[in-house]
Amino acid sequence: MQGIILIRKRRRLFFIFPLLASLVIASPASSERIGIIRDDGGEYLPVDEMITRFAIDHSFDMISQKGKLYRKSHYAVYSVGMSALLVDGELFKSSRPVRRVAGRVLIPLDAGEHIVTRFSPGIVLNKKMGGLDIEQPDGKAARPEKKERSPMPVKDRISFIVIDPGHGGKDPGAVGKGGLEEKDITLAVARHLREKLKKRHPGVRVISTRTDDRFIELSRRTEIANRKLKKNENGIFLSIHVNASLSGKISGYETFFLSQNPTNEEARNTAALENNVIILEKKSKRKKAFDDLDFIEATMITTQIQKESSFLAESIQNGMAARNKKFSSRGVKKADFFVLRGALMPAALIEIGYISNSREARSLTTKSHRRLIAEGIADGVDQFIKKYNSLVNLGGM
Ligand SMILES: [Zn+2]
């Protein structure tokens, strides 16, 4: 793995303990301090100090601007510019993003405290005069490290929706008769959907990964969405596509959510077809996005997000099925779509029809059919948002 710097600062605490114990005779626990940095109107813990004070290992990748903190079996993954961090496989959303100032990585204070208390159970942090007092039980009193109970899944209102029109630019997607291209259909449907969602959910931001005919790499699409995540704000990611088959007879629409176990051979083929675009991406970036540890870590979180995504897909498919009677509903399926990998929020990929079916392809060129599909997807999104909170509360998701 190139471009990774490993910094190890271990055992430093063991030198400090005896020293402090002699100074603070009456105290049963040793204590230390870490300075809080104020920058850009927020409070941060610098990573270089965190690794020293808490015996944490750290690696940072200069190209992707992602870093990993780890101690024993604990780990945290962050990305410069993002407010969402992965801590022991769970999402932690801060109110502000991780920053990098003059080469120093600054972790938002709330996230830093969360990481430290996860990594070192029993530790107590007290905010005092521009710093954190660290109290850790001495060696003997230290409680055995028990598995921390997972906090309740983060339940935040849906405050943004990211619409991702599949393909674009040098990547036309599936091509039908007469040169009809998937990328144009997905963009047109996305525009209708955007209008509808904006009207129906005035308090929700609707963001598009592209609004014109341009090429965007797969990993960049979810990154656009992930960067919107922050404390108390959750989102939805919708990727819109058109399917193709060697058989001109197959028609209909279906909705997918991410899984490493595809529903069937057809679902696997659809994903393979959609993933194909990766050959158009730059080799170095492709490797970065899909080969390294990030992916493994991202999949660890998906148990919860997968449940939510499954419900999102179901809602959308139902919404479309109620509107689009001209073609058949092919149901909800799961498969390994690269574009959904790493989405830190409920995400679905919608195959709105078959470009290889001449009747459906014709429909997909008409405004009325595109509107109808957008209407159906919007209905599904409404349904999802409405039920989202209540189902999380019931533990049903
Ligand atoms: Zn596609």
Side-chain angles (χ1 to χ4, degrees):
M1 203 172 285
Q2 288 174 331
I4 293 203
I5 308 161
L6 264 180
I7 306 158
R8 292 180 189 276
K9 295 267 177 163
R10 277 198 168 160
R11 310 208 182 275
R12 173 109 177 238
L13 283 176
F14 297 99
F15 297 111
I16 294 160
F17 276 153
L19 189 86
L20 283 173
S22 61
L23 292 173
V24 193
I25 299 157
S27 170
S30 42
S31 70
E32 246 201 295
R33 228 175 123 70
I34 181 168
I36 293 171
I37 290 196
R38 267 166 237 285
D39 190 68
D40 195 37
E43 295 179 318
Y44 299 86
L45 294 181
V47 160
D48 51 288
E49 279 201 44
M50 283 172 72
I51 60 181
T52 312
R53 299 274 181 266
F54 304 102
I56 292 171
D57 285 337
H58 179 230
S59 65
F60 185 74
D61 178 21
M62 299 293 269
I63 297 166
S64 65
Q65 294 283 297
K66 283 181 182 173
K68 186 178 174 186
L69 297 159
Y70 43 107
R71 184 174 191 268
K72 294 180 185 168
S73 61
H74 300 283
Y75 74 91
V77 184
Y78 66 84
S79 200
V80 174
M82 259 182 66
S83 308
L85 297 88
L86 271 182
V87 183
D88 286 350
E90 280 161 13
L91 195 60
F92 180 88
K93 287 184 285 178
S94 171
S95 48
R96 46 182 53 248
V98 173
R99 288 168 57 81
R100 193 155 171 261
V101 181
R104 251 184 144 186
V105 176
L106 306 179
I107 304 283
L109 181 62
D110 55 352
E113 286 180 304
H114 178 72
I115 291 167
V116 167
T117 45
R118 280 301 280 252
F119 281 24
S120 308
I123 211 161
V124 179
L125 303 171
N126 290 312
K127 198 175 161 189
K128 250 184 224 164
M129 293 183 298
L132 282 182
D133 280 351
I134 307 157
E135 278 174 37
Q136 26 202 344
D138 60 30
K140 282 173 205 159
R143 274 164 270 169
E145 193 170 326
K146 61 171 188 288
K147 192 116 179 83
E148 290 278 291
R149 210 173 68 85
S150 298
M152 278 295 287
V154 187
K155 179 184 73 72
D156 295 321
R157 68 193 176 92
I158 300 292
S159 52
F160 66 90
I161 300 165
V162 177
I163 304 172
D164 174 44
H167 313 277
K170 63 183 174 185
D171 168 27
V175 179
K177 274 184 195 154
L180 179 62
E181 293 181 336
E182 178 183 356
K183 67 173 181 179
D184 297 325
I185 302 171
T186 59
L187 186 60
V189 171
R191 282 188 181 136
H192 289 306
L193 180 59
R194 187 184 159 97
E195 264 172 47
K196 287 180 201 309
L197 289 174
K198 273 184 155 176
K199 235 177 251 170
R200 294 189 194 185
H201 301 275
V204 173
R205 277 172 297 151
V206 184
I207 300 136
S208 296
T209 54
R210 67 177 179 102
T211 51
D212 54 16
D213 184 21
R214 71 176 65 201
F215 181 75
I216 307 174
E217 292 179 342
L218 293 179
S219 60
R220 173 82 189 122
R221 295 171 188 259
T222 36
E223 200 195 312
I224 290 170
N226 286 345
R227 278 177 182 267
K228 309 283 175 211
L229 283 171
K230 60 177 182 178
K231 195 176 183 180
N232 304 325
E233 292 197 10
N234 204 352
I236 298 175
F237 181 79
L238 304 172
S239 197
I240 298 170
H241 291 261
V242 181
N243 216 335
S245 168
L246 289 174
S247 158
K249 287 180 188 162
I250 296 176
S251 67
Y253 47 90
E254 57 206 332
T255 310
F256 289 87
F257 63 95
L258 181 71
S259 167
Q260 267 65 62
N261 306 303
T263 305
N264 52 30
E265 209 46 42
E266 260 187 329
R268 190 196 298 273
N269 290 340
T270 299
L273 202 65
E274 297 293 3
N275 293 343
N276 231 342
V277 58
I278 206 157
I279 58 171
L280 295 174
E281 300 190 357
K282 285 194 201 97
K283 250 186 182 164
S284 59
K285 282 200 176 174
R286 198 192 315 168
K287 182 163 170 48
K288 193 111 262 105
F290 300 110
D291 281 0
D292 67 13
L293 280 174
D294 290 341
F295 170 61
I296 298 160
E297 278 139 13
T299 57
M300 290 173 75
I301 192 182
T302 56
T303 328
Q304 174 63 22
I305 290 177
Q306 196 180 45
K307 282 184 197 164
E308 295 171 2
S309 299
S310 151
F311 180 65
L312 174 65
E314 198 182 301
S315 307
I316 288 169
Q317 189 64 21
N318 288 343
M320 286 198 297
R323 297 262 181 191
N324 185 356
K325 303 286 187 193
K326 207 170 165 187
F327 299 96
S328 57
S329 164
R330 298 170 59 84
V332 172
K333 290 174 186 163
K334 45 187 186 152
D336 186 9
F337 289 93
F338 290 177
V339 71
L340 299 181
R341 283 183 178 184
L344 301 173
M345 66 197 77
L349 185 142
I350 309 149
E351 295 281 358
I352 59 174
Y354 276 83
I355 206 168
S356 46
N357 179 282
S358 50
R359 197 168 71 92
E360 199 163 29
R362 241 190 334 270
S363 283
L364 288 168
T365 60
T366 68
K367 215 173 200 178
S368 59
H369 193 65
R370 289 170 173 177
R371 280 222 175 98
L372 187 94
I373 290 166
E375 200 89 36
I377 297 172
D379 289 348
V381 170
D382 292 354
Q383 186 74 4
F384 176 81
I385 292 178
K386 216 162 90 185
K387 284 200 177 170
Y388 181 70
N389 287 349
S390 60
L391 279 168
V392 171
N393 281 338
L394 293 169
M397 261 195 187

